[in-house]
Amino acid sequence: MAAPRMRGDGRRAKNAKGTLARLISLLFTYYKKEVFVVLACIIVVALVGVAPAVYIQTIASYIEQGVAMAKGGIPGPEAYAAIAPAILKSLALMAGVYLIGLVASFTSTRLGAVITQGFLNKLRQRMFGSMQSLPIRYFDTHNRGDIMSHYTNDIDTIRQLISQSIPTVFQAGLTLIALVAVMLYFSVWMTLVVFCAVLLMLFVTRFVGGNSAKYFVRQQQSLGREEGFIEEMMNGQKVVKVFCHEAASQADFDRLNNQLCSDATRANIFANTLMPIMGNIGNIFYVLVAFVGALLIAFEAPDVSLHALFGIELSMLTIVVTFLGMTKQFVNNVSQVSQQINFVVMALAGAERVFELMDETPETDDGYVTLVNACVAEDGSVSECAERTGHWAWKHPHEDGSVTYTPLTGDVRMVKVDFGYVPEKIVLHDVTLYAEPGQKVAFVGATGAGKTTITNLINRFYDIADGKIRYDGININKIRKADLRRSLGIVLQDTNLFTGTVMENIRYGKLDATDEECIAAAKLANAHDFITRLPDGYQTALTANGANLSQGQRQLLSIARAAVADPPVMILDEATSSIDTRTEAIVQRGMDSLMHGRTVFVIAHRLSTVRNSDVIMVLEQGRIIERGDHEKLIAEHGKYYQLYTGAFELE
Ligand SMILES: Nc1ncnc2c1ncn2[C@@H]1O[C@H](COP(=O)(O)OP(=O)(O)O)[C@@H](O)[C@H]1O
Ligand SMILES: [Mg+2]
């Protein structure tokens, strides 16, 4: 079975700090104001979180006052009346503080959701934008599953980071700072005890959490592989069934699934043990703080804390009670931060991959020659005009500021072209060919001879290693790619239809085509008959890549799509290979009338299709070994002759 594809390579971020910095600065670029509002709200929430710690001290002091009054013989109701207004006031104050906290946390969560989703939206938009700008070569060397996972898995880890991890760490960090300040105010000795707890917790987090992050990243990797496998099996269901491969695929799947299970289990065992361990360390220190507090009270130890500097007297009991509350809170916040570590590690690895996709070098385009609508004056001079005239010209600006217009005629020449998809393996050797305007040029040759490669070079999916390609006398490197491709009507060997109606798919060739133009193109491609027999005619919805059509019907649609663009140059790569000979003959006649006066490159393995071409090039292992029209090649008694007479079978 094919090795399952790797999706997201499961490594940690190479440059975690840089990635985080970039993520945050990008966040600020898009949502500066909003982020500040959220941060301000989080600060408020954190401060409100510390309030109870201080509040408990006030309550304790009231109790002490009450006890003192009772000892002094003041009757209960009177004592109550004396303290009640103060108690009510501080209760009201507390309620007010909590209300503010509530508003702040409401605002920060709502705004947080808006920022997170908006930011992800922008990231996906940028990823898609840069993905579309990438050269075909990128898609040759990266598999779809990998690219897809940047939009799904990786984006999701970033969501987690922005919506949860960063706010949690920020809020918990602030709370901790505030708590430390309050603790120092109350008692330096007891603060030291709490610090010991923190040190122990950090140590445990490093030990347990460090491992856990490793397994979380592996879990992502396994998940990606499993998803890739499922996708591949869905695409290949027919092959799986035909070769009765169900049991073998199941076994492959089980292996991947078990790996995912084991990685996920390990990741979660570590993560799940972290919380109880933290909780228990917290409990132990709760007791220890109480114990140290009791000792301090018992021995009436002097305390050198901040409150003493302010000249404020606090009883040791008040201090210990306050501290117990703060210890709990402190430990909770530290364990919240430690819990986020796994997510941060995963998210940074994911974000790095997202940025890698965004940073891929886009397809370069140094072209400055553009295609414009041309008006031909009586004297034959060509100028630019705004409306579609049916004539085109290359607008060629020169260094001295002058502009020349060259009529688009479809004259294509290749001179001594060498090319290889990878430098180590040259696919085309010294290819020289020319197609004069209106000529029909055919390529024949065995599978893998390099026929499709030649067309890939004409439309500049790839750039040549050596040699020259000229289009109407202009080096094609000087022509802007979009304009070059606009001048070419291409029917690719692999048909690709998009989700949408039949009409929309034909209109893909020319976005402003009217329904009538689309139907005319369909008639030309001989697709009209079968389309009208579809349940909803031209409005029939096509599912993924036209799965509800036959292969031949798909080809007819892609020919119609190219025909509606009405291009000056047509490239047909095995365009009629799945169409029966009778239909092909009809399509051919339609095409011939469309292509009258235009340059056509045809690749076909049915030699009857190429027979009436002006020039036939016979390719063998990337070299043109014979050229000429049908009669000449037959007379030469070479390879073409052998192919034609059946002495040598093609493909
Ligand atoms: N994207 C690619 N990356 C690397 N090699 C390729 C690629 N496409 C085609 N090739 C190689 O280039 C050679 C010519 O292929 P192609 O032009 O598609 O042949 P055909 O004549 O059947 O259309 C083959 O040996 C093939 O293995
Ligand atoms: Mg091919």
Side-chain angles (χ1 to χ4, degrees), residues 295-372:
L295 284 182
L296 289 177
I297 294 175
F299 291 96
E300 288 178 12
D303 204 359
V304 284
S305 304
L306 294 181
H307 65 91
L309 295 183
F310 292 118
I312 297 170
E313 282 283 327
L314 286 177
S315 79
M316 212 52 217
L317 183 68
T318 316
I319 293 177
V320 173
V321 170
T322 316
F323 244 83
L324 284 176
M326 286 197 291
T327 310
K328 260 257 144 71
Q329 232 187 331
F330 204 89
V331 168
N332 277 348
N333 279 291
V334 171
S335 71
Q336 271 189 28
V337 171
S338 67
Q339 237 197 330
Q340 296 302 325
I341 289 175
N342 298 321
F343 297 122
V344 174
V345 171
M346 271 202 312
L348 291 182
E352 197 171 72
R353 288 192 287 265
V354 167
F355 287 143
E356 270 169 17
L357 176 59
M358 283 185 194
D359 295 344
E360 279 293 333
T361 338
E363 185 172 16
T364 51
D365 191 0
D366 305 326
Y368 52 89
V369 175
T370 50
L371 191 65
V372 295

Side-chain angles (χ1 to χ4, degrees), residues 446-453 455 493-494 573-574 603 651:
T447 297
K451 307 180 293 292
T452 300
T453 306
T455 66
Q493 188 164 4
D494 316 309
D573 191 352
E574 310 271 16
I603 299 173
E651 293 178 314

Side-chain angles (χ1 to χ4, degrees), residues 15 69 74 88 208 227 230 244 261 290 371 392 418 424 445 588 619:
N15 178 5
M69 280 192 268
I74 297 171
L88 285 179
V208 181
E227 282 175 5
I230 294 171
C244 301
C261 177
L371 191 65
W392 294 274
D418 291 335
E424 311 85 75
Q588 206 62 53
L619 274 154

